[in-house]
Amino acid sequence: MKKFFIWIGKAAVAGAAALLLLCLWCSFYYNVPIHYTNETGATEYKWESNKFFRKGTEGFAFGRTNNEGFVNLRDYTPGEQIDILLMGSSHMEGMNVQPEENTAAVLNRLFAGEKYTYNIGTSGHTLMYCLKRLDAALDTYAPGGFVVMETRTLDFSQAELTAVAEGTLPDIPSHTGGLVELMQRLPYLRLLYTKYVKDGGDGDGEPQTQTAPLQTDTAEKASLLNTVLSRAAERCQAKGVQLIIVYDPVVYTDETGAGYTETDPADRAAMEAACRENGIQFVDLTDSYLAGFGQQHRLPYGFANTSPGSGHMNAWGHRLFAQAVYDTVKEMEG
């Protein structure tokens, strides 16, 4: 029995040493902050402030969150002038590219001091969640000119549109405190959870995708979309802000090597109509992405260590996205 307990002790020490070494290695490979509920309500949650992050699962990027817990090159000072407030998902968050390569940083270089873009893009914040949090975002940051919302899809279910319209879209929870938070602070366990429990997803806080029955009432969906966007437009107009929605589709390649997207024409038409009716500027990056692929042979998503064209937006995608927003703002201002 004594030998057994000695063996158990040695095994425990060896296991702890192995975990320590794996966490040390992981701190340079996959190391992301913990997120907490955002008290301002501008987003569902935000990351720890002034924390180092490192992602080697998609691309090879590292940086620090700012004093608010968002990915910006500079800290936020309450009351400072923000001309363009950038909202969106993990693609706008940009933890898979260097901080100076994300959309907000590129926009700030393009405007060269003329306008300042502040990024509150956060993993899991689809267009529906951005619309849900729009009021609080406007109150918190008081952008002077534009709110830009990113969406990777135009196919919204009737259920989620109804939830946004009725104010019942569920919150994205932040699991913190106690043993859960302790485990999140161990990079190797965080990586295991991300890769195997979350089916390989690379973003924390992503809402769980649920399989919903096919919706055939396209007229009702279009009406709900118009209602949701009408309210968003009214809120922006009341604040003297122009809302811009930017669609960044996935680009696929066929057997001949040509690029294509899988956007449903009916979904695009519904979004275009709703935006046009409510004075929202809709920017579709389909042509830009396809032209970029045809001329430069580059895809806006994917990295050297992932499947081409899949996963998160890469530096090339951020550049095209930022250029489209820059051109749109310049055109609107004449």
Side-chain angles (χ1 to χ4, degrees), residues 25 40 47 71 79 163 165 180 197 219 226 270 280 301 309 322:
W25 169 78
T40 70
W47 301 104
V71 183
V180 172
V197 178
N226 187 71
I280 298 171
Y301 295 92

Side-chain angles (χ1 to χ4, degrees), residues 14-217:
L19 179 60
L20 179 62
L21 290 173
L22 287 169
C23 286
L24 180 62
W25 169 78
C26 237
S27 66
F28 296 99
Y29 175 69
Y30 184 83
N31 188 4
V32 295
I34 296 173
H35 62 74
Y36 299 91
T37 300
N38 189 347
E39 68 279 359
T40 70
T43 56
E44 296 284 306
Y45 65 87
K46 59 182 180 180
W47 301 104
E48 293 175 287
S49 61
N50 301 306
K51 287 294 184 179
F52 173 82
F53 65 83
R54 179 74 168 92
K55 285 195 175 182
T57 50
E58 289 187 59
F60 300 95
F62 62 90
R64 295 185 70 88
T65 58
N66 73 349
N67 64 323
E68 280 207 305
F70 298 116
V71 183
N72 290 276
L73 292 179
R74 78 184 200 196
D75 286 343
Y76 170 71
T77 302
E80 73 172 304
Q81 179 176 338
I82 294 174
D83 301 290
I84 301 173
L85 182 64
L86 181 61
M87 305 179 70
S89 65
S90 53
H91 301 292
M92 289 299 96
E93 181 179 67
M95 282 191 179
N96 298 93
V97 299
Q98 291 299 106
E100 62 271 14
E101 295 176 333
N102 70 27
T103 295
V106 176
L107 274 171
N108 286 328
R109 286 198 297 275
L110 288 172
F111 279 110
E114 178 186 348
K115 295 185 185 299
Y116 176 60
T117 300
Y118 187 70
N119 178 28
I120 62 170
T122 308
S123 298
H125 285 61
T126 61
L127 179 61
M128 295 299 105
Y129 277 95
C130 291
L131 292 170
K132 171 188 173 182
R133 294 295 178 178
L134 176 60
D135 278 344
L138 290 172
D139 290 340
T140 301
Y141 298 105
F146 303 88
V147 173
V148 176
M149 291 186 181
E150 169 259 343
T151 181
R152 197 180 183 184
T153 183
L154 301 178
D155 181 15
F156 310 107
S157 72
Q158 192 166 321
E160 61 182 339
L161 287 168
T162 300
V164 175
E166 297 178 350
T168 58
L169 191 67
D171 294 342
I172 302 175
S174 291
H175 303 290
T176 55
L179 182 61
V180 172
E181 182 166 333
L182 175 62
M183 294 182 68
Q184 289 185 71
R185 292 191 181 281
L186 298 175
Y188 182 66
L189 296 183
R190 188 79 170 269
L191 176 63
L192 287 179
Y193 173 77
T194 300
K195 298 301 289 184
Y196 298 107
V197 178
K198 298 180 68 176
D199 298 323
D202 193 29
D204 284 82
E206 297 284 355
Q208 295 297 314
T209 301
Q210 298 180 349
T211 302
L214 293 176
Q215 302 294 334
T216 56
D217 193 346

Side-chain angles (χ1 to χ4, degrees), residues 251-329:
V251 176
Y252 303 94
T253 56
D254 60 23
E255 61 277 3
T256 68
Y260 70 97
T261 63
E262 292 186 340
T263 308
D264 187 327
D267 291 333
R268 181 189 285 113
M271 176 60 77
E272 289 175 339
C275 287
R276 182 171 56 252
E277 184 173 336
N278 293 291
I280 298 171
Q281 188 71 31
F282 176 60
V283 179
D284 184 352
L285 293 181
T286 299
D287 290 342
S288 175
Y289 278 3
L290 291 178
F293 178 69
Q295 298 167 11
Q296 303 289 331
H297 308 293
R298 302 174 72 176
L299 293 166
Y301 295 92
F303 302 86
N305 56 347
T306 65
S307 299
S310 66
H312 284 86
M313 185 181 291
N314 55 36
W316 172 247
H318 279 277
R319 193 185 312 171
L320 294 180
F321 191 108
Q323 186 66 56
V325 173
Y326 175 81
D327 292 342
T328 298
V329 169

